[in-house]
Amino acid sequence: MKKTWFIVKRELASYFNSPIAYVFLIIFLLLSGFFTFMMGGFFRSDEASLTRFFVWHPWLYMLLVPAIGMRLWAEERRMGTLELLCTLPLSASQAILGKFFAGWIFLGIALLLTLPMPITVCYLGEPDMGPILTGYIGSFLMSGAYLAISGMTSACTRNQVISFITSVVVCLLLVLVGFPPVTNLLLKWGASSNLVDFAAHLSVMFHFESMQRGVLDLRDVVYFVSLIGFALFSTNIVLKQHRS
Amino acid sequence: MIKANNLFKWYGSKLVVDDVSFQVAKGEVLGFLGPNGAGKSTTMRMLTGFLPMSSGSVEIGGHNLVDEPLKSKSLFGYLPENAPAYADMTVEGFLEFTASMRDLSGEAKRNAVEKAIVTCHLGSVRKQSIDTLSKGYRHRTCFAQAILHDPPILILDEPTDGLDPNQKHEMRELIKRMGQDKAIIVSTHILEEVEAICTRVIIIDQGRLVFNGTPAEMRAKSAEAGGVTIRVQGVQKPELTAVLERIPEAGRPIEVKEVDGALVATIPQQSEKSGLAAKIKAELDRRSWAFDELHTNSGRLDDVFRAITSLDVATNQENN
C-alpha cells in the first residue's frame, strides 16, 4: 500500500513537472466551458441545472482522457524505465494501481476546477443539488473507466500515437452503443431489441445518464468500477505477456 | 548468492538462451562476455525477473526468483543496459524515489541517498533534472540507484558504457572494491575490463555457455599462451632458426622476423608446462648469443574470445 502511494506521488509530480498537466487542464476547462455555453445553449435553456454541462462529458473525455492514459505505460516502455520498475521489489498490481490512481486523481483535480460552474448556477438560480452531486460522481467514475481503458491500450505498445488512437476508438464504441441515434439505427436494421438493449447497457452513456438525472444507483457504480477493474486486470496480463 | 539453473529462453521459435547455468558467490566479480546479440542482456533480464524464463530457475540469495519475487528483488541492485531513469525527475528526487521503493525511510533514506550521491560524484547535479544530464552523469545516476540500498548482489549490464576514460577507470575501481564483499555480475564486451576487475569469466555465444573460468584460464586457452618470445642480436636468421628448431620442446611454426637490426623469434610450446623458456635460454647461453628480451607469453584474451565465439552473429539480433 505504501509503495502504491509512492508511485502515485511520483506520477503526479511528473504530470506537474511537464507541460502536459497545464495544457490538459486549460484545454479541458476551455472546452467544457465552450460546450456548455456555446454549443449547449446554457442560457437559452433558462434552467438552473448542470445538465448542459454534464451531457458533453462522455464526448469530451473520449478525446482528452486517452491523452493522459496513453503515456502511462508506453512512455515507460519507450524510456526503458519499465525495466527499472519491474525489477524493483514491488508487485505488478502495486505499480498498475499506483499509476492508475495518479491519473485518476489528476482527472479529479481537473473536474474540481470546474466548480465555478455549479457556483455560477447557484448564484443565478436555485438548482437541485442532487443531480449536480451525482453528476460529478458519475463524471469522475466515467473518467476513471476511460483512463483504465487507455492505460490498457498503452500497455500494448511503446508508441503513444497508436495507444491514443486505439483508446479513443474503444471509448467511442463504449459511448456509441448507447447513443440513441445509433441504437435507433440498429433497431431499424432489424437487430432484436433485446440485443440492442444489452449493448446499450454496456455503454457508459446509459449509466452516466441516470446519474445526471440525480439517481445514484448502485448498479451504475458497480458498472464503472467493474469496467475499471477489468481494464486494470487486462493491463496486468498485457504487461506480463508483452515481456515474454 | 546467485544461482542460474538451466536457463532457456525462446522468442517464438527462436532459441535465444540455450541451457545456461552458473553460480556467483560472495566476493566474486563475474564477467559476462559475449558478442553483441549473444543473449547477455536477455540472460541478465531473466536473472532480475524482468523477462520470464521459458524454463529453468534462478535463485537469489537462496530465494527462488519466481516463488519469492519481492524477497529476491530486494537483495540485488540492477543497472539495466542504457541506464534508464525517469527523465522528468531530479537526480535527488529519483534516488529518493528508488530508496522509498527499497523500504528505506527517514534518516536511513537520507543517508543512503547522500552516500550514493557522494560515491557516484553526483553532488554538482543533484538538483538537476535527469533529461538535462550528459550521458556519463545519467549513467552514474542509474548506477547510484543500483547501489543505494547497499545490496549484497549487483547485476550490472555494461556499467562503463558511455563513460569517458577517467570515469571508466573510477567505475572499475568502485566495482572491484565492492566486489570484495558482494556478489557482482558485470556484462561487458570490453576485454581489458575483464582483466581489470573480474575474478571469473563466463562467455556466452549464440545463447550457449562456451567458457566458464578465471581470466588466467581464459588466457591460457590462447594459441600463443606458453610460447616464448626472444630478441637476439648479432646472429644470422638461418642460424637462429636452425638452433631453435632443434629444441625438442619447441612447437611449430617458429616465426623469426628482423626488427630494427635484431631478430625477434616467437616459439610456440610443444606441450604444456615444458619449461620451454629455460631450454631456450640454455641454448642461447651455450652459444653466448646476446639477447635483450626473453619472456613467456601469457596469451591474449581477445584471441581466445575470437576463437571461441562465432563471427556470424551480426545477423543474430537480440530481441527487444
Side-chain angles (χ1 to χ4, degrees):
Chain A
M1 203 51 222
K2 230 168 79 191
K3 284 182 183 168
T4 311
W5 172 238
F6 286 125
I7 300 266
V8 171
K9 257 186 12 194
R10 198 211 75 75
E11 287 284 310
L12 268 181
S14 112
Y15 286 134
F16 287 100
N17 270 341
S18 67
I20 302 171
Y22 306 100
V23 170
F24 179 89
L25 290 176
I26 289 168
I27 290 188
F28 175 73
L29 294 175
L30 279 178
L31 282 182
S32 66
F34 172 77
F35 281 124
T36 312
F37 294 107
M38 313 299 277
M39 308 280 284
F42 175 75
F43 291 114
R44 257 179 292 127
S45 76
D46 204 24
E47 39 176 279
S49 82
L50 284 184
T51 356
R52 309 276 160 157
F53 167 66
F54 286 126
V55 78
W56 296 103
H57 281 195
W59 305 95
L60 196 55
Y61 284 155
M62 199 177 76
L63 279 180
L64 291 182
V65 175
I68 292 295
M70 69 179 185
R71 42 191 302 286
L72 281 185
W73 298 102
E75 177 81 355
E76 295 261 356
R77 201 184 285 284
R78 195 179 60 81
M79 303 272 294
T81 43
L82 187 63
E83 193 167 351
L84 221 50
L85 201 62
C86 290
T87 51
L88 284 170
L90 103 155
S91 66
S93 50
Q94 283 171 323
I96 291 168
L97 284 176
K99 285 175 94 63
F100 170 73
F101 279 122
W104 206 13
I105 290 172
F106 177 71
L107 291 172
I109 292 171
L111 200 56
L112 279 182
L113 289 175
T114 64
L115 278 182
M117 209 69 99
I119 293 170
T120 311
V121 174
C122 285
Y123 176 75
L124 293 174
E126 277 175 11
D128 183 355
M129 290 312 282
I132 293 183
L133 189 68
T134 55
Y136 266 106
I137 293 173
S139 177
F140 183 57
L141 283 171
M142 184 169 59
S143 71
Y146 279 23
L147 180 70
I149 289 166
S150 347
M152 180 182 74
T153 64
S154 173
C156 299
T157 172
R158 70 176 71 215
N159 187 323
Q160 301 198 7
V161 177
I162 294 177
S163 155
F164 178 80
I165 293 174
T166 330
S167 47
V168 169
V169 169
V170 175
C171 293
L172 182 68
L173 278 175
L174 276 180
V175 170
L176 285 185
V177 288
F179 190 49
V182 176
T183 48
N184 290 342
L185 191 69
L186 287 177
L187 284 174
K188 218 163 68 187
W189 283 349
S192 80
S193 63
N194 279 341
L195 190 69
V196 172
D197 223 32
F198 173 72
H201 276 71
L202 285 179
S203 160
V204 290
M205 288 301 244
F206 178 84
H207 299 275
F208 183 51
E209 236 152 49
S210 59
M211 285 184 145
Q212 285 178 63
R213 287 197 309 269
V215 186
L216 191 64
D217 191 332
L218 186 65
R219 280 176 297 180
D220 297 327
V221 176
V222 167
Y223 164 79
F224 283 118
V225 171
S226 48
L227 200 57
I228 291 172
F230 171 75
L232 293 183
F233 179 72
S234 314
T235 306
N236 194 3
I237 291 175
V238 170
L239 281 177
K240 242 183 222 145
Q241 277 301 314
H242 220 287
R243 279 190 275 139
S244 50
Chain B
M1 292 298 273
I2 309 173
K3 226 171 163 179
N5 304 319
N6 308 91
L7 295 181
F8 282 88
K9 180 71 189 172
W10 294 86
Y11 281 120
S13 63
K14 215 177 96 189
L15 187 58
V16 186
V17 174
D18 182 359
D19 199 8
V20 169
S21 305
F22 58 87
Q23 295 186 15
V24 191
K26 188 178 156 177
E28 266 191 312
V29 179
L30 177 74
F32 204 45
L33 286 177
N36 286 328
K40 291 195 300 278
S41 289
T42 308
T43 307
M44 293 202 135
R45 283 172 170 167
M46 289 195 288
L47 287 180
T48 54
F50 178 58
L51 285 179
M53 47 218 137
S54 304
S55 85
S57 69
V58 171
E59 263 176 53
I60 305 273
H63 302 276
N64 187 300
L65 182 65
V66 177
D67 299 336
E68 300 173 88
L70 299 191
K71 186 78 196 134
S72 319
K73 284 175 181 178
S74 66
L75 289 177
F76 63 76
Y78 176 39
L79 172 72
E81 200 181 4
N82 302 324
Y86 288 106
D88 51 63
M89 302 180 95
T90 63
V91 170
E92 207 174 354
F94 175 65
L95 294 179
E96 275 168 10
F97 167 70
T98 39
S100 315
M101 284 295 151
R102 300 283 186 188
D103 290 318
L104 292 166
S105 61
E107 186 76 7
K109 179 166 122 182
R110 266 194 303 282
N111 289 341
V113 170
E114 206 53 44
K115 199 173 154 211
I117 285 178
V118 172
T119 312
C120 300
H121 304 284
L122 293 166
S124 58
V125 296
R126 61 190 300 160
K127 301 276 179 207
Q128 222 168 304
S129 112
I130 290 174
D131 55 2
T132 64
L133 296 181
S134 68
K135 198 174 173 194
Y137 274 116
R138 217 178 48 227
H139 211 93
R140 279 184 284 167
T141 305
C142 196
F143 182 71
Q145 161 276 130
I147 59 167
L148 183 75
H149 53 301
D150 195 23
I153 296 168
L154 279 178
I155 299 174
L156 310 169
D157 202 345
E158 301 192 2
T160 57
D161 184 44
L163 300 182
D164 69 32
N166 291 336
Q167 294 167 342
K168 266 190 183 139
H169 177 74
E170 200 170 338
M171 176 67 84
R172 285 175 194 158
E173 291 301 309
L174 193 61
I175 293 174
K176 216 155 106 184
R177 212 165 52 234
M178 290 191 300
Q180 287 164 3
D181 55 357
K182 293 184 195 303
I184 303 185
I185 300 187
V186 180
S187 97
T188 179
H189 41 233
I190 307 169
L191 291 160
E192 49 177 298
E193 204 155 286
V194 173
E195 302 248 53
I197 58 177
C198 298
T199 57
R200 206 153 52 83
V201 186
I202 61 180
I203 301 178
I204 152 170
D205 180 42
Q206 297 190 323
R208 273 188 307 276
L209 195 72
V210 290
F211 179 80
N212 185 349
T214 64
E217 282 166 356
M218 179 175 165
R219 237 183 275 114
K221 285 184 81 118
S222 161
E224 262 182 42
V228 174
T229 302
I230 54 172
R231 193 179 139 98
V232 191
Q233 249 137 5
V235 189
Q236 292 305 305
K237 192 171 164 181
E239 212 177 342
L240 178 65
T241 315
V243 169
L244 291 175
E245 276 174 353
R246 275 203 301 277
I247 300 174
E249 285 83 1
R252 298 286 183 277
I254 293 170
E255 214 180 289
V256 183
K257 277 182 300 196
E258 249 191 90
V259 182
D260 300 332
L263 288 176
V264 175
T266 312
I267 309 105
Q269 62 178 352
Q270 183 72 270
S271 59
E272 270 176 60
K273 298 199 176 95
S274 56
L276 179 62
K279 288 279 162 56
I280 292 173
K281 184 169 180 298
E283 288 293 324
L284 295 179
D285 286 343
R286 209 147 60 86
R287 291 171 173 81
S288 309
W289 288 347
F291 59 93
D292 56 6
E293 192 182 323
L294 187 150
H295 64 84
T296 304
N297 298 320
S298 54
R300 283 167 43 201
L301 290 181
D302 56 345
D303 282 342
V304 185
F305 185 79
R306 271 202 302 272
I308 57 184
T309 59
S310 39
L311 282 170
D312 62 342
V313 284
T315 52
N316 189 0
Q317 296 252 317
E318 201 158 336
N319 267 310
N320 217 335

